[in-house]
Amino acid sequence: MEQFKGQARLPKFAVPKSYGIHLKPDLTACKFAGFVSIDLDVVHHTKFIVLNAAELSVDSGSVSFTTRGISKVLEPSRIDLVEEDEILVLEFAETLPIGIGLLRIGFEGTLNDKMKGFYRSTFEHNGEKKNMAVTQFEPADARRCFPCWDEPACKATFKIILDVPSELVALSNMPIIEEKVDGHLKTVTYQESPIMSTYLVAVVVGLFDYVEDHTSDGVKVRVYCQVGKANQGKFALHVAVKTLELYKEYFAVPYSLPKLDMVAIPDFAAGAMENYGLVTYRETALLYDDQHSAAANKQRVATVVAHELAHQWFGNLVTMEWWTHLWLNEGFATWVSYLATDSLFPEWNIWTQFLDESTAGLRLDGLAESHPIEVEINHAGEIDEIFDAISYRKGASVIRMLQNYLGAECFQRSLAAYIKRYACSNAKTEDLWAALEEGSGEPVNKLMNSWTKQKGYPAVSVKVEDQKLVFDQSQFLSSGSQGDGQWIVPITLCCGSYDMRKSFLLQSKSETLDIKEFLKDKTDAASAWIKLNVDQAGFYRVKYDEDLAARLRYAIEKKFLSATDRFGILDDSFALCMARQQSLTSLLTLMGAYREELDYTVLNNLISISFKIARIVADAVPELLDYVKQFFIGLFQNSAERLGWEPKPGESHLDAMLRGDLLTALAIFGHDLTLNEASRRFQSFLEDRNTPLLPPDIRKAAYEAVMRRVSTSERSGYESLLRVYRETDLSQEKTRILSSLASSPDPNITLEVLNFLLSSEVRSQDAVYGLSVSREGRETAWKWLKDNWEHISKTWGSGFLITRFVSAIVSPFASFEKAKEVEEFFASRSKPSIARTLKQSIERIHINANWVESVQNEKHLADAVKELANRKY
């Protein structure tokens, strides 16, 4: 027995070939009974069968192994369920014969409320609360529904039968082949699935309406939603049909199942899950309501649907061999979802918005406590934490960098070859590199290993020395300390215009390039702007010397640069400032060059950077905070006035999103005119929820503005928002409100809001939206987290949402004492599922604290800030 404990993976004595699964969920008692029969290929002499099972009670009398041929029925002499390793060990008195046999197991389980395994979700129908039964198996929770070899490489076919109440809709991965009604119950039998991994098996049982369409090659596509919400599924349906057709062409392989169902689930921990043929979603990621959804909601639905459908090929048809290669699934699906969305909605400029993904990856990967893209997984409990910005966002960014380097056509050809080669099988990172290397003739493996096998990324510094450019790479860390990583960096640069391009691989620590040769006009050498990492296609930062930085600032003011390059210069400058390699004065001066910025993505980043700077200034030099706010208000006022409060007929999707973001920023920085107007419009909205005065795109801005003026003595805005929350049944409206409630500057209100998040009025999937408290409320939030830790740990501790509580409340602090206090509190309370997040959050406190000290020591900051604040734009 002992030999099987504490192992990362199951022993390979026996290999599952096909599963027959019969489940009977009881939605009233919240329990289920089941029976599984598994065709096994015994490949080594053994007396043991070891598979995964967790939180199930196995009926020992039902367990048997029947050998083929001689048809001998063997019963185990001992059955052990090892909960800490989530394994079921069956020991037999005699050695099992090599070859195919049939393993049978009967079991029972609970329909839990933890949003993993086989769980229950609640909904209201005709004013009555009801349950539905849903599965969520990725990464390692199929074992909570039926005993199985719960590893991605153990692919098999699945034949599922469900016994359910006859009035309910019962869905699984495959189409129904038979439905027998017997009084109040019906038995539903599904077609056998193709070969697939356990984490993609799915079952949904509940009351639903649906909308339906077909792809041009006859695949039936449906979107299922709560009764009465079918119209809200139409947009996602349109995106799904078009995306399936697009991927069929891009991957040169058709979608491999006869149908695709997409279902909105009221309680859902992640954003969505790509179960083969039965994709499940949070309501906010699938439903779109013409009247009450914002443009940002529409975009979220499109990119999430495109992401999940990419997995039907990349993940489901070709599956990672082990969780170490999770990034292959997630990084790729993230990247290709932008490709699909751009094809369907070119006017969204989605590739510019992709930079938000890269920035999130760069931000996490600038921590010493980051991890490589390929990460060793030694225990199932460690898998959840790597569903993070490294696997998704850095993963997507290095794929974009590689595609940019190899060229789009060659990249697509090689991908199609990879998918054909590994269809219905498993692959590792090296297999993808080999296919791309074959297709391109480039040393892809060597090039990419430096990006996936070590954590971090380089900052490439560049300076001009007698008409030569000198490049130098070193690992970038937000803490400002020196890392020792080295990369093969695809460098691209433009000089004075986008026609003058140069690209090369920086393979050593430093390199020199003569720029005379590619300057048409030699007199330009001293003044021409030089921009590295053209269009931000590379996953690295750039540090320019003062002369080059000044030339770029001028190029931004003169509108010579593309939106992606303006974004990159700003983002790198902010990161260097945080790492104390550049002064706050120079960052603020650079931001001043963006006063006429019009691009959505660039302005959006400018806004989020301004929030972070305001927080640091409030901690470091509070006496300058009002001047900084005044400067930011001046920076955003032009654009806000250009857009106004009212949507313009025929305006772009991007302007609709930008309006809300700009008004939110002005409200948070205390711009009185904005606060007054928001409150006037909010009053009209309270009287009539369909008023044209508060369209969905500006609601969040109005809610934030209302909360900025709420205090213990002036509560009416808070009470009114709670009323709107209670009356709406649209998830997007609820999350809009939750994410605004904590922005009151009154700590007493903050505490009330945080307690509200723990109440039964907020679904546990949504509580995390309310954790971004105002700076004034962060001490209160920390005390609240400590006081309620036991309850929070019990409620959210088994999933990944618990990490959000830690990062949201701990990371904003900026003192070494607070970092020590956090460490001491968690010393006896940490567990594997939050260990990495906790270290990262404490590291962020240290980074903030060092940054505060460096800002306090900046000599000319006060003069510069006052001068910027008084500038008239």
Side-chain angles (χ1 to χ4, degrees):
M1 267 295 299
E2 292 306 310
Q3 58 179 319
F4 306 123
K5 292 183 177 176
Q7 301 298 314
R9 294 172 78 161
L10 295 169
K12 300 290 181 273
F13 311 138
V15 183
K17 292 296 176 195
S18 72
Y19 292 78
I21 303 165
H22 195 140
L23 294 170
K24 183 176 182 177
D26 179 337
L27 294 171
T28 318
C30 295
K31 292 207 282 266
F32 63 91
F35 195 87
V36 65
S37 44
I38 309 170
D39 275 340
L40 272 190
D41 191 0
V42 178
V43 290
H44 292 292
H45 289 292
T46 177
K47 289 184 174 181
F48 294 97
I49 292 179
V50 184
L51 65 167
N52 293 112
E55 293 163 22
L56 295 174
S57 62
V58 170
D59 168 10
S60 50
S62 72
V63 182
S64 69
F65 181 76
T66 309
T67 60
R68 282 269 167 88
I70 46 174
S71 203
K72 190 174 173 189
V73 179
L74 305 174
E75 285 173 4
S77 53
R78 185 175 165 189
I79 298 175
D80 276 299
L81 194 57
V82 187
E83 274 299 346
E84 60 271 26
D85 291 310
E86 302 183 342
I87 55 173
L88 175 65
V89 181
L90 310 176
E91 187 176 348
F92 293 85
E94 53 187 284
T95 303
L96 304 177
I98 300 280
I100 300 283
L102 184 66
L103 175 66
R104 291 190 176 92
I105 304 172
F107 53 91
E108 285 181 344
T110 305
L111 284 176
N112 68 70
D113 59 355
K114 300 284 188 263
M115 297 184 284
K116 61 194 263 186
F118 201 9
Y119 73 92
R120 64 182 186 266
S121 172
T122 58
F123 64 100
E124 269 191 22
H125 183 242
N126 297 336
E128 197 188 336
K129 221 173 179 188
K130 291 184 179 286
N131 288 329
M132 61 171 78
V134 188
T135 56
Q136 167 60 41
F137 291 164
E138 189 182 27
D141 295 314
R143 61 191 70 177
R144 283 175 170 71
C145 179
F146 58 95
C148 57
W149 275 255
D150 200 8
E151 296 182 1
C154 298
K155 284 188 161 185
T157 59
F158 294 83
K159 193 159 186 167
I160 291 176
I161 299 175
L162 299 177
D163 291 340
V164 296
S166 47
E167 74 280 5
L168 298 184
V169 174
L171 304 170
S172 185
N173 306 82
M174 299 299 288
I176 293 171
I177 45 176
E178 188 185 35
E179 202 166 293
K180 276 192 195 148
V181 179
D182 180 7
H184 290 302
L185 275 185
K186 63 180 174 183
T187 299
V188 187
T189 308
Y190 300 87
Q191 260 181 46
E192 187 166 22
S193 77
I195 182 168
M196 59 191 267
S197 303
T198 48
Y199 77 87
L200 295 165
V201 174
V203 166
V204 175
V205 181
L207 267 184
F208 297 100
D209 279 347
Y210 67 84
V211 283
E212 172 181 309
D213 199 356
H214 288 80
T215 62
S216 53
D217 55 349
V219 176
K220 185 194 285 180
V221 184
R222 284 182 176 179
V223 175
Y224 285 87
C225 358
Q226 282 188 55
V227 175
K229 290 189 177 181
N231 273 343
Q232 295 177 24
K234 284 182 174 168
F235 175 67
L237 181 65
H238 162 74
V239 172
V241 168
K242 290 278 174 264
T243 304
L244 282 179
E245 292 172 350
L246 185 124
Y247 288 157
K248 175 189 174 184
E249 206 164 300
Y250 189 81
F251 298 127
V253 173
Y255 172 66
S256 49
L257 301 187
K259 62 93 177 172
L260 171 73
D261 294 327
M262 308 201 297
V263 194
I265 308 292
D267 299 279
F268 197 83
M273 175 61 212
E274 68 268 20
N275 314 302
Y276 222 166
L278 178 58
V279 185
T280 46
Y281 295 79
R282 261 184 193 233
E283 294 197 329
T284 49
L286 188 68
L287 305 184
Y288 177 75
D289 177 320
D290 286 330
Q291 180 91 46
H292 294 288
S293 296
N297 300 133
K298 188 176 199 174
Q299 186 175 301
R300 168 90 178 136
V301 170
T303 52
V304 176
V305 168
H307 178 106
E308 301 312 323
L309 299 198
H311 279 310
Q312 306 301 308
W313 284 262
F314 230 89
N316 301 10
L317 186 60
V318 179
T319 311
M320 67 219 155
E321 194 278 331
W322 180 240
W323 299 105
T324 296
H325 307 280
L326 170 74
W327 85 277
L328 270 183
N329 268 15
E330 299 305 349
F332 190 86
T334 301
W335 174 80
V336 89
S337 70
Y338 278 77
L339 192 89
T341 307
D342 185 52
S343 171
L344 294 184
F345 305 102
E347 69 282 6
W348 290 4
N349 288 354
I350 201 86
W351 280 116
T352 307
Q353 296 188 59
F354 181 83
L355 297 178
D356 294 334
E357 304 275 0
S358 301
T359 294
L362 290 164
R363 219 178 135 245
L364 178 52
D365 210 23
L367 298 181
E369 291 292 349
S370 179
H371 62 85
I373 279 180
E374 294 183 67
V375 68
E376 280 303 314
I377 295 290
N378 300 309
H379 188 277
E382 297 170 5
I383 306 170
D384 260 341
E385 267 201 312
I386 60 165
F387 281 80
D388 64 3
I390 301 298
S391 298
Y392 284 71
R393 290 162 160 183
K394 181 181 182 178
S397 303
V398 300
I399 284 168
R400 176 173 175 248
M401 173 165 74
L402 182 60
Q403 187 231 21
N404 196 62
Y405 178 71
L406 298 177
E409 274 175 50
C410 158
F411 191 76
Q412 180 181 352
R413 253 197 342 270
S414 312
L415 270 184
Y418 165 83
I419 286 192
K420 276 201 183 64
R421 185 176 307 162
Y422 294 100
C424 301
S425 176
N426 296 81
K428 298 181 175 179
T429 303
E430 293 76 61
D431 299 323
L432 177 60
W433 296 161
L436 287 162
E437 199 155 301
E438 244 169 75
S440 67
E442 293 280 347
V444 176
N445 198 40
K446 176 177 173 227
L447 175 67
M448 294 311 287
N449 278 347
S450 69
W451 296 95
T452 66
K453 294 201 183 296
Q454 63 179 341
K455 65 185 176 191
Y457 56 87
V460 176
S461 54
V462 56
K463 58 183 183 205
V464 181
E465 274 177 9
D466 28 294
Q467 303 224 334
K468 287 190 172 61
L469 283 181
V470 182
F471 303 91
D472 191 69
Q473 66 157 304
S474 62
Q475 183 173 353
F476 177 82
L477 287 166
S478 299
S479 61
S481 47
Q482 282 296 312
D484 49 9
Q486 194 170 312
W487 287 263
I488 299 178
V489 192
I491 301 279
T492 50
L493 67 142
C494 278
C495 195
S497 99
Y498 283 102
D499 302 333
M500 304 301 289
R501 287 177 182 244
K502 178 99 182 147
S503 54
F504 67 95
L505 285 179
L506 175 61
Q507 304 203 43
S508 53
K509 179 113 176 56
S510 52
E511 209 148 310
T512 307
L513 185 72
D514 198 331
I515 47 173
K516 286 197 296 291
E517 63 193 68
F518 70 114
L519 275 182
K520 286 191 191 120
D521 184 351
K522 299 293 178 268
T523 56
D524 276 357
S527 64
W529 55 267
I530 291 171
K531 167 71 176 66
L532 260 67
N533 195 9
V534 182
D535 286 331
Q536 298 305 109
F539 192 77
Y540 56 92
R541 299 218 178 266
V542 181
K543 184 181 182 183
Y544 299 94
D545 69 10
E546 272 183 39
D547 169 38
L548 289 174
R551 296 187 204 179
L552 283 170
R553 206 163 51 235
Y554 176 76
I556 290 166
E557 284 175 342
K558 289 284 178 248
K559 305 188 173 47
F560 293 156
L561 301 180
S562 68
T564 43
D565 285 330
R566 297 195 302 275
F567 181 104
I569 292 162
L570 173 68
D571 204 61
D572 288 350
S573 184
F574 171 66
L576 290 162
C577 179
M578 183 192 283
R580 314 191 311 284
Q581 295 179 25
Q582 190 183 319
S583 68
L584 180 57
T585 306
S586 71
L587 173 61
L588 291 169
T589 309
L590 172 68
M591 288 171 83
Y594 289 80
R595 59 187 168 271
E596 291 177 10
E597 184 56 62
L598 297 173
D599 181 83
Y600 165 74
T601 310
V602 180
L603 268 167
N604 202 15
N605 199 28
L606 202 62
I607 290 168
S608 61
I609 287 173
S610 67
F611 289 158
K612 289 170 189 159
I613 291 174
R615 282 197 163 210
I616 286 297
V617 168
D619 278 325
V621 274
E623 66 277 11
L624 293 181
L625 183 59
D626 283 346
Y627 292 104
V628 167
K629 285 181 175 176
Q630 202 179 318
F631 166 55
F632 290 146
I633 288 170
L635 204 52
F636 301 130
Q637 228 170 329
N638 269 353
S639 310
E641 280 166 11
R642 173 179 74 87
L643 291 171
W645 282 81
E646 307 281 338
K648 314 234 181 336
E651 72 178 359
S652 74
H653 165 83
L654 295 167
D655 276 352
M657 294 205 296
L658 183 56
R659 176 180 293 109
D661 291 344
L662 284 165
L663 292 171
T664 303
L666 289 175
I668 284 175
F669 290 131
H671 183 240
D672 279 329
L673 289 173
T674 303
L675 291 168
N676 294 340
E677 183 61 16
S679 119
R680 181 182 79 81
R681 288 170 181 265
F682 181 64
Q683 283 312 314
S684 303
F685 176 67
L686 290 177
E687 286 151 29
D688 169 17
R689 296 290 194 273
N690 296 316
T691 175
L693 286 177
L694 203 66
D697 291 312
I698 58 170
R699 278 184 206 164
K700 177 139 175 11
Y703 300 163
E704 294 255 6
V706 165
M707 285 308 297
R708 288 305 292 170
R709 285 189 165 168
V710 164
S711 64
T712 318
S713 55
E714 183 35 76
R715 304 172 49 89
S716 65
Y718 174 51
E719 304 290 355
S720 302
L721 268 174
L722 284 181
R723 197 165 76 245
V724 178
Y725 177 87
R726 287 168 179 143
E727 285 170 12
T728 183
D729 72 337
L730 187 69
S731 304
Q732 289 162 350
E733 193 68 77
K734 284 193 188 294
T735 55
R736 254 199 296 270
I737 295 167
L738 287 175
S739 61
S740 313
L741 286 179
S743 49
S744 161
D746 184 327
N748 296 319
I749 298 289
T750 302
L751 183 59
E752 264 188 66
V753 169
L754 292 169
N755 286 331
F756 176 66
L757 298 178
L758 300 182
S759 75
S760 60
E761 288 194 68
V762 179
R763 290 185 188 267
S764 66
Q765 64 166 14
D766 292 333
V768 292
Y769 285 107
L771 297 173
S772 44
V773 301
S774 64
R775 187 183 163 278
E776 300 87 345
R778 69 184 175 184
E779 216 28 89
T780 304
W782 167 234
K783 183 178 183 316
W784 170 84
L785 184 71
K786 290 187 292 187
D787 292 346
N788 293 282
W789 181 251
E790 207 163 305
H791 170 70
I792 290 168
S793 191
K794 206 159 75 219
T795 310
W796 287 273
S798 64
F800 66 90
L801 288 173
I802 187 144
T803 61
R804 305 288 196 272
F805 283 86
V806 176
S807 57
I809 288 173
V810 170
S811 304
F813 284 110
S815 75
F816 299 112
E817 300 75 50
K818 190 55 74 180
K820 207 166 155 39
E821 194 186 311
V822 171
E823 273 182 71
E824 282 165 7
F825 175 76
F826 281 109
S828 60
R829 295 174 177 88
S830 192
K831 46 180 170 188
S833 60
I834 61 163
R836 197 186 287 276
T837 303
L838 187 61
K839 284 179 181 162
Q840 289 167 349
S841 302
I842 291 168
E843 183 180 353
R844 286 200 200 281
I845 303 180
H846 283 275
I847 290 166
N848 290 339
N850 280 319
W851 192 10
V852 163
E853 281 186 2
S854 114
V855 168
Q856 285 168 337
N857 296 327
E858 237 178 84
K859 284 197 176 64
H860 306 295
L861 180 65
D863 297 342
V865 166
K866 288 172 185 170
E867 195 266 320
L868 286 166
N870 292 322
R871 250 188 222 173
K872 289 286 168 272
Y873 289 132

